[in-house]
Amino acid sequence: MVALPTTFAASPPETELVAPSENAITLRPPSTKPFHTSTAHPTEPPSIEWLDGAWHVTHSTLPMWRKSRNVQIKYTPIPGTSPVQLEDMVTYQPLDGDKIKSVHGVNKPEEGDWAWHWRGTGWLMIASSRWEVLGYGEDESGNRWVVTYFAKTLFTPAGVDLYSRNSRGLTEETVEAIKKALVGLGHEGLGEMAGDLFGVKMDGGRDGE
């Protein structure tokens, strides 16, 4: 996805997921190039099946989402690619209108399967960015969530997005626990980002789709 994407347990696929609580929270810090996964956080990356489908961006630090509402991102595996690449379609509405705008891109996995290299399509083909999953899981109601980190580009600052599988968004408890997880990593910049997270407006304006 273009960035114009004490802790939560990032549970491996097909493993029983832990309900959010301060005692069961683990996020991994962002990697650096060349890609590496910290041995202090030996969790498995989310599977393609986990990422596949539509997600709602509920919270962010990225300035562009302050002017948008009902932001969704849909990941779709691209047949015949190895390793599997993901097509994504980001759609959203402006705060003052109902027209749905979109951004289309293709994501290629990087070593370790936590990080992805995004490149736009069409007139956005010259645009690219790098994003990665810091953690993912499922709350006690069964709603799935993902925390993504976007590296700085020429056009956008580094930032964090929170995704929810359902349109009701994330519970306050989940959001607060993720903020504590970001601070707890002790990573330069992430503590500040935790404080900068704002709620992306979700008003049901696309529920009829």
Side-chain angles (χ1 to χ4, degrees), residues 33 41 61 132 151 155 185 200 205:
K33 290 187 175 182
H41 303 272
T61 65
E132 57 187 293
F155 308 103
L185 287 173
V200 178

Side-chain angles (χ1 to χ4, degrees), residues 55-178:
W55 296 89
H56 302 268
V57 180
T58 66
H59 295 75
S60 182
T61 65
L62 298 174
M64 64 181 181
W65 294 142
R66 289 189 179 276
K67 301 178 181 179
S68 305
R69 62 192 177 96
N70 302 321
V71 181
Q72 298 179 20
I73 178 168
K74 184 177 182 181
Y75 295 113
T76 304
I78 300 177
T81 55
S82 181
V84 177
Q85 299 177 21
L86 290 175
E87 176 184 35
D88 73 31
M89 179 66 75
V90 180
T91 55
Y92 59 96
Q93 295 170 298
L95 292 178
D96 56 356
D98 293 328
K99 182 179 180 180
I100 296 176
K101 300 184 178 183
S102 63
V103 177
H104 180 249
V106 173
N107 301 274
K108 295 182 179 180
E110 295 193 356
E111 181 183 357
D113 293 334
W114 286 103
W116 298 79
H117 182 267
W118 178 93
R119 182 167 293 280
T121 60
W123 65 273
L124 275 177
M125 188 174 293
I126 62 172
S128 65
S129 65
R130 183 178 185 276
W131 63 277
E132 57 187 293
V133 175
L134 301 188
Y136 65 103
E138 185 174 295
D139 69 18
E140 58 189 2
S141 73
N143 183 34
R144 293 182 176 185
W145 54 266
V146 179
V147 180
T148 55
Y149 172 83
F150 296 87
K152 180 180 179 180
T153 72
L154 290 175
F155 308 103
T156 57
V160 170
D161 277 353
L162 309 188
Y163 298 168
S164 166
R165 184 62 94 175
N166 68 47
S167 60
R168 295 189 302 275
L170 303 176
T171 65
E172 182 177 349
E173 291 78 12
T174 298
V175 174
E176 289 304 311
I178 289 173

